[in-house]
Amino acid sequence: MLPDLLHRSSETRGDEVLYRFANGLTIKTEVFSKADTLRILPIGSPQCALMNHLLNFPDVVRGKRVFEPFAGSGVLGFAALTVGAEHALLLDVNPRALDFQRTNAALNRFAPTRFTSILGDIADFVPEKKCDLLLANPPFVPTPEGIDGTITSNGGPDGNRFVGILLDRLEDFLEPDGRALIYVFQLVSDAAPLVVDLLDSIATFRSVEVTPSQQQQIPFDSFVSAYSQLFPDAAAKVEHWRAALVRRHGDGLGLCHYVVDIGPRTGAPGPCVIRDDFAEKFGEDFLVPAANTSELAIGRVFENFVPDTAANRKSEP
Ligand SMILES: C[S@@+](CC[C@H](N)C(=O)[O-])C[C@H]1O[C@@H](n2cnc3c(N)ncnc32)[C@H](O)[C@@H]1O
């Protein structure tokens, strides 16, 4: 089993959180409850799982050009720099993210030549150079049409709006011998996450491994209830969304977190393999806890909730 080399500690002051990691990395973000649709995502199991992989397998990143699309605070790109990446390219559509990246670079004394922050949209951004390693934690929360959600989390009705764009454009970003680690949250139908269909339909010509990072799936009904609880005024929109997903993917849907690991080009479309190797690859400490799937559902939906906006005011928990 992989050790936790991060030993994360954090300190919250008002709307801001300062994280310190054992390897010296310091990252500032904001809290989930900040009443701002452009808030900066705090750090949880997704980022820690990917960072712990880099710390345990430094050859993955040493001397590499790293790209973090959906960069927010820049946590993954900056973590890569601490493990010896040559350069980190950070892309985000939120101008506030670039302010946090500047602050985080200063906190860690990264020379300006080691990273580039770009304000842009994943849909049309074209990098000057492709990267060797792509690290992504995209907005991935399935979100009913008509609920605005947040810039950090609204992943469209099935959660894969941005994952789809990223996978579609992967060859624009990644060197042929490059690797991508993408953390996702998936609707699961017939034991397969929807991302498997996406990967099959784009025929990556690369090896693809998909690793569950959660012990127990969230039943879809719990997830729907979480939306009904947090957005009581949007009941009709939630029901419309629920019914459309069930029509499309059948009854018995669940939700689960995964890491998608896309390897170098192989010359032939690679089969997508689902592997149960999270503990060896990322570290058991960063499995999404299974204790209470209803709480987990509320937590994910809460990422889409902005307390003080007019639309949400009545439904503040
Ligand atoms: C889940 S957060 C991840 C932030 C950071 N990578 C982390 O792991 O903490 C997703 C980020 O994607 C950004 N984002 C949303 N839509 C985007 C788009 N169309 N193009 C680029 N970035 C986008 C958001 O502003 C947000 O910072």
Side-chain angles (χ1 to χ4, degrees), residues 29 38-44 46-47 68-76 91-94 97 120-123 135-140 150-154 162 165 303:
T29 73
L38 297 182
R39 65 196 177 207
I40 303 300
L41 194 78
I43 295 172
Q47 300 97 327
E68 184 182 8
F70 316 108
S73 61
V75 56
L76 301 175
L91 176 79
D92 206 289
V93 79
N94 176 3
D121 190 324
I122 190 67
L135 299 169
N137 179 26
F140 56 38
T150 59
I151 196 164
T152 59
S153 304
N154 182 344
F162 295 102
I165 296 172
E303 283 189 36

Side-chain angles (χ1 to χ4, degrees), residues 157-236:
D158 70 358
N160 277 338
R161 176 174 292 157
F162 295 102
V163 179
I165 296 172
L166 178 59
L167 292 177
D168 252 351
R169 299 204 56 215
L170 195 66
E171 300 304 329
D172 294 342
F173 303 136
L174 194 58
E175 289 286 1
D177 59 353
R179 181 175 175 207
L181 288 169
I182 307 170
Y183 200 98
V184 295
F185 181 51
Q186 291 291 297
L187 284 160
V188 183
S189 166
D190 286 335
L194 300 190
V195 72
V196 169
D197 285 345
L198 267 181
L199 286 157
D200 284 348
S201 70
I202 60 163
T204 61
F205 290 86
R206 292 173 181 269
S207 62
V208 182
E209 292 178 6
V210 178
T211 298
S213 54
Q214 185 178 320
Q215 283 154 330
Q216 201 184 321
Q217 284 182 20
I218 302 171
F220 184 50
D221 286 348
S222 301
F223 196 64
V224 174
S225 304
Y227 268 111
S228 305
Q229 237 175 292
L230 285 174
F231 297 88
D233 297 340

